[in-house]
Amino acid sequence: MSESLGSGRPPAPEQKPTTALRRRLAELRGPATPARPLDARALAALAANPGCRRRALLDGAGVDKGALAEAIGSPSAAFGQSQFAFMRGNAFEAKVKGDGGTELLRLLHERMGEGAEPPGQALTPDLAAAGPEGRAARTALALREATEAGGWALLDHPMLALEVAGSPAYLEPDAVVVHPDGRWTVVEIKSFPMIDAAADPSKVGAAARQSAVYVLALERVAVLTKGASVDHSVLLVCPRDFSNLPTASVVDVRKQLAVTRRQLTRLSRIEDIADELPPGTTFDLDGQSGASLATAVEAVPAVYAPECLAACELAFHCRGRAREQGTVTALGRSLRGELGSLTTVEEVLAAARGESGDPADPTVAAVRRAAALRAEAGAPCH
């Protein structure tokens, strides 16, 4: 076992972000501006669109994209919960974790079939420490100690570290349960209901993608912990029907985990993106005009897709630019994939009219055939 095991830091020293990179990212967001944390929800959205260098850089630098969108004169997409929903979610989470996690462990036993008898009280280690790095180190140590002890343990809001494109991200799942056999299970507690044992598929999918990020971060600690393994099924706890009583389901996140791992690997390293920026580029909101900030934003290439509207504060700005440029990606990734080498709306229309494009190209042939069918359907009847 190495010192990294208790520190929660990358096992290879060369993987740590350099001081120069930290300084460069601070200059980009503004030296006096604290970095916004990169959470699991943002990471899942980033992994869903790894080709967007703009989001990778801004998230890596900790830039407040909502404030930036307002400063450049673009409406910002609304994110987050209402105060009422936030309070309701906190109350439900406290109910699930109450009495030392007895109800949570009962649900885990019920859904995952852990032995003949449900577990009783579990060890609940104190994870308090100074700063996210300290909390991540304390979490890694608690996971190691609980695994070595060979009993049940419930880690409430642990802190996990994950390197993303050369920059650290600190993640906080609702809970992690350590089993007597050394398995670690992520627990996600959501306030949307399960009605007749089924929840909204889109919300479950979002929770699965978010949980996959936690599993990926946990694997980073488990590989340094003797006897530990990370369960690829997470426990999703929600209110039952229209009550405040908790129920749970097991969600297999292997598919989401594979996609997230692959997409995060594809992300360009943040320092490489920063090195390509014009000298003096900064996203510091203090003392800069909206025009200069807009110029800085446009200096970083973006890849817009309609899905961005549900995940990025700059989505409306990027959508406007994509429409101005006539990119087919603005119409959806599936359509973009169907159109192959035809990357703009103008190219598609020109190919449909027979003004450009190779007739032997299957995409061009399909577009012309579709145009002919449309013209035939719109022709007057005789």
Side-chain angles (χ1 to χ4, degrees):
M1 297 181 186
S2 68
E3 184 181 352
S4 299
L5 189 141
S7 68
R9 295 172 182 169
E14 65 273 15
Q15 291 180 344
K16 288 181 61 180
T18 63
T19 302
L21 175 59
R22 290 178 184 269
R23 185 167 55 248
R24 179 73 173 105
L25 295 180
E27 291 171 353
L28 285 174
R29 70 174 176 269
T33 305
R36 286 180 65 86
L38 187 60
D39 60 16
R41 185 173 300 175
L43 273 181
L46 186 59
N49 191 8
C52 186
R53 298 164 71 88
R54 181 176 296 168
R55 174 153 196 171
L57 179 65
L58 294 177
D59 280 351
V63 175
D64 185 340
K65 297 194 300 296
L68 181 61
E70 294 295 332
I72 62 178
S74 294
S76 177
F79 292 94
Q81 294 178 313
S82 67
Q83 187 65 24
F84 173 75
F86 184 75
M87 293 174 62
R88 182 183 60 188
N90 282 347
F92 178 69
E93 182 176 334
K95 180 181 180 69
V96 172
K97 293 179 180 177
D99 193 21
T102 302
E103 178 66 11
L104 177 56
L105 292 175
R106 184 192 69 78
L107 290 170
L108 185 73
H109 170 267
E110 179 182 293
R111 296 303 180 187
M112 291 190 163
E114 294 291 336
E117 295 293 331
Q121 290 290 327
L123 177 69
T124 54
D126 182 8
L127 304 178
E133 287 182 278
R135 289 186 59 202
R138 182 68 189 91
T139 294
L141 180 61
L143 286 167
R144 180 183 65 181
E145 292 175 343
T147 302
E148 290 177 349
W152 290 96
L154 173 62
L155 278 66
D156 186 7
H157 285 286
M159 181 66 73
L160 306 173
L162 183 66
E163 183 181 293
V164 180
S167 183
Y170 294 97
L171 315 169
E172 189 176 2
D174 291 328
V176 171
V177 174
V178 178
H179 301 243
D181 61 3
R183 282 183 298 130
W184 302 347
T185 299
V186 171
V187 178
E188 269 296 282
I189 303 173
K190 298 296 186 182
S191 59
F192 58 80
M194 287 188 188
I195 301 175
D196 293 334
D200 184 334
S202 64
K203 293 180 179 180
V204 173
R209 290 189 293 272
Q210 186 174 336
S211 298
V213 177
Y214 297 139
V215 171
L216 189 61
L218 268 179
E219 287 182 339
R220 184 173 174 271
V221 184
V223 74
L224 299 171
T225 305
K226 183 178 180 181
S229 63
V230 183
D231 204 329
H232 291 165
S233 293
V234 304
L235 187 72
L236 177 62
V237 182
C238 298
R240 183 172 61 208
D241 298 326
F242 300 100
S243 71
N244 199 39
L245 299 175
T247 187
S249 67
V250 176
V251 181
D252 190 332
V253 298
R254 283 177 294 182
K255 178 180 178 181
Q256 292 84 356
L257 180 63
V259 171
T260 301
R261 183 183 288 113
R262 182 173 65 252
Q263 299 293 62
L264 290 180
T265 301
R266 288 178 53 200
L267 283 172
S268 300
R269 296 187 66 83
I270 293 174
E271 58 263 46
D272 296 336
I273 303 174
D275 288 344
E276 295 176 0
L277 295 176
T281 299
T282 178
F283 305 100
D284 190 353
L285 301 181
D286 293 334
Q288 282 206 96
S289 66
S292 61
L293 287 169
T295 300
V297 169
E298 291 305 314
V300 191
V303 177
Y304 170 78
E307 294 85 351
C308 296
L309 292 172
C312 183
E313 295 88 340
L314 281 169
F316 292 147
H317 172 80
C318 297
R319 181 180 66 178
R321 293 293 181 270
R323 287 176 172 177
E324 289 175 5
Q325 297 165 4
T327 58
V328 296
T329 308
L331 304 177
R333 290 195 183 97
S334 59
L335 181 60
R336 172 67 187 90
E338 292 289 338
L339 292 174
S341 62
L342 304 177
T343 59
T344 68
V345 174
E346 185 55 42
E347 288 178 351
V348 174
L349 294 177
R353 293 190 296 261
E355 298 170 359
S356 66
D358 182 1
D361 185 333
T363 301
V364 173
V367 166
R368 291 183 181 175
R369 175 61 177 162
L373 290 173
R374 184 178 186 278
E376 182 179 334
C381 297
H382 297 289

